[in-house]
Amino acid sequence: MNEVLLRNLTPSVLAILVRRGADFAAAEDAVQDALVEAVRVWPADPPRDPKGWLVTVAWRRFLDTVRADAARRRREDLVNEEPAPGPAPAADDTLRLYFLCAHPSLTPSSAVALTLRAVGGLTTRQIARAYLVPEATMAQRISRAKRTVSGLRFVQPGDVATVLRVLYLVFNEGYSGDVDLAAEAIRLTRQLAAVIDHPEVAGLLALMLLHHARRAARTAPDGSLVPLAEQDRGRWDTASIAEGVAILQAALARDRLGEFQAQAAIAALHADAPTAEETDWVQIVEWYDELAHLTDSPIVRLNRAVAVGEADGPRAGLAALAALDASLPRHTAVAAYLHERDGDLATAARLYAEAAQKAPNLAERDHLTRQAARLNARR
C-alpha cells in the first residue's frame, strides 16, 4: 500500500467532491471512508486509475450519507451528478482547495487549522504544536470550523494572507516534523507566486527555498540532528540559495516589508556566511527586531535572544531570554545553550536534560540528551 500516493491524491479527490456540490465536512468524511476502503482493497486488487477509483468510492459514500438525511428529490439530483466512468481529471486542485478552505465565514486562525487538518494531512496534535495551544483546544477549534462551514457551498475563496499562513505551517511541519510536506508546500507556493504578484508571496517562497537548501545537512547518517553551526555547508543546495536570495532581493526592493520577507532575510544571512563564525549576527538581530515589530510573536523573541547571545555575548542573550515566558517551546533548550556559552556547564547540562524531556520529537530529544551527556562528561 502506497501511503504517500493516497496522501497526495486526497486534496484533489476532496476538491472534486466539493465542486460537485458536497459540503466540506461531508466531503471530508466521504474521502476518509474511501481511503479506508483503499487500504483494505488495493493490496489485493490495485486499480489502474487510483484517483478515479477514490473519486467514485468517495462520491458514493457521500451519496449514501445524503440519502440518509435528505429528501428524495435532492437524492435524485445528486445521483445525476455522479462522475462519469473513466480516468479522473489530471488538474492539480490542491492550491484551489487551500483558497476554498480559507472561507470568509471562518476566522483566519480557524481557516488555517481546518485546511491543515483536511488538506495538509497534519494531525490535530501537530497543528496544536504549531499554534502553541493544547491539543484539546485545537480539536475544538477544528470541530467549530467544520460546523461553521457545514452545508455551505465553497464558491467564495478566502484571502491570500490565510493561504500563505497555511503554506508556511505545512512547510514547517514537513521540514521539521513527522510528515514530509516541505516539497509540496514549495510546489504550491511556486504556483501561487506565478499567479499573484505580491512581495509576501515572494518572501514566503524565498524563505522556503533558503531553508530547504540546508535540508541535506541537517541530519547525520544515523538520523541525528546537526546544529546549524556544525553543518557541512558544502552539502547546502547553492542553486536554491541563489534563487531564494534573488527572489528576496526583488521583493525587498518593493519596500512593502512583511514577516515572510523578514524571515527570509534572516535565512539569507545564514546562507551567505561561508562559515558559522562569519555569520553577521548584528544584522540578524536587526532583522529579528523588524520581525518582532511585525508579529509580536514570542517565538520570534525567543530566536532573537539566541541572536543577541551571538552578537553581544551570552549574558546579553540570557537577559533577553529572562523577559520571556519560560513555558515557551524550546525555551529551556535556548537557556541551556546560552549557559553553556557563558561557561556554566553544570547548569547547561541540567537544562539540556530538562529540555530533552520536553522535546516535540525523537530526533530533537536525542540531540538534547547527547548535549547533556557531552557536558556531564567534561565536568
Side-chain angles (χ1 to χ4, degrees), residues 298-299 302-303 305-306 317-318 321-322 324-341 344-360 364 367-369 371-372 375:
I299 297 300
L302 183 69
N303 291 333
V306 176
L318 286 167
L321 187 65
L324 303 177
D325 186 347
S327 67
L328 282 172
R330 298 184 173 89
H331 184 286
T332 308
V334 170
Y337 173 74
L338 291 171
H339 276 290
E340 179 184 357
R341 289 202 62 236
D344 187 352
L345 302 189
T347 299
R350 175 177 57 80
L351 290 173
Y352 276 130
E354 289 181 14
Q357 296 176 355
K358 305 173 185 176
E364 192 168 332
H367 170 71
L368 293 167
T369 300
Q371 296 294 85
L375 293 186

Side-chain angles (χ1 to χ4, degrees), residues 43 109 199 204 219 259 284 314:
S109 60
L204 179 58
T219 54
E259 62 173 295
I284 288 177

